[in-house]
Amino acid sequence: GGGYPDRLASRLRQGGLPVGHTNLGQSGARIRDVVNHALKRVVALQPTLITLGVGTNDLWRGTEVAEFQDDLDRIARRLKQTGASMVVVNLADMALAPVAKLVPSALYEGRIEPFNDAIATVARSHGLHLVDLFTASREMIPRRPDFFCGDGFHPSAAGYDEWADLMLPVVRTLIQR
């Protein structure tokens, strides 16, 4: 169903806001993929608003936090030059994901918070609008057993709906400026 970007755009349109959108998200992408493959495409689109949700695949695949933060900083610096408003979302508490029971806890234990700290640091230093998916996920996931799809890793349609709803107030405010 397109993940959170398509749902977010749909909600904005339902609210009477004329928005177009391009979703450059790619399942399995890591932050280095954004730097190497999506960054130039985003800049070429000349957007007025950019949302960025990246890091979960980096978390699970062992990307070092410092490397992640350096790449996120590079992305923020480059995209800031577009003049677009930027919204970044931090990582959900993936320790609550069903897949977490099936993999070594070293993949996520003690790593989620440092990734989120890196996201917060970059957001502060570049004036990005940070949406706190981590805190919200700790409330959402226990009450929404359908938050994840069958793979136990990716959000389900219901999970992406929750994610879009969480981002909507921030994005709506930025678009209505």
Side-chain angles (χ1 to χ4, degrees), residues 60 92-101 108 112 134-142 147-148 152:
W60 289 95
D93 189 349
M94 293 303 291
L96 300 174
V99 74
K101 295 176 179 82
Y108 58 86
I112 301 168
F134 179 79
T135 301
S137 72
R138 290 180 153 198
E139 297 169 10
M140 281 183 231
I141 294 169
F147 185 88
F148 291 98

Side-chain angles (χ1 to χ4, degrees), residues 100-162:
K101 295 176 179 82
L102 306 174
V103 299
S105 63
L107 288 175
Y108 58 86
E109 212 165 77
R111 287 181 43 84
I112 301 168
E113 291 84 353
F115 268 79
N116 283 340
D117 289 344
I119 293 168
T121 297
V122 171
R124 272 191 308 276
S125 70
H126 293 284
L128 311 182
H129 302 271
L130 176 62
V131 174
D132 186 6
L133 181 59
F134 179 79
T135 301
S137 72
R138 290 180 153 198
E139 297 169 10
M140 281 183 231
I141 294 169
R143 69 176 168 77
R144 293 296 310 249
D146 61 344
F147 185 88
F148 291 98
C149 69
D151 68 6
F153 179 76
H154 293 92
S156 64
Y160 281 128
D161 282 338
E162 292 277 355

Side-chain angles (χ1 to χ4, degrees), residues 4 30 40 47 66 73 90 96 114 121 135 143 152 162-163:
Y4 82 85
R30 293 162 65 174
K40 286 182 184 175
D73 186 71
N90 62 8
L96 300 174
T121 297
T135 301
R143 69 176 168 77
E162 292 277 355
W163 189 339

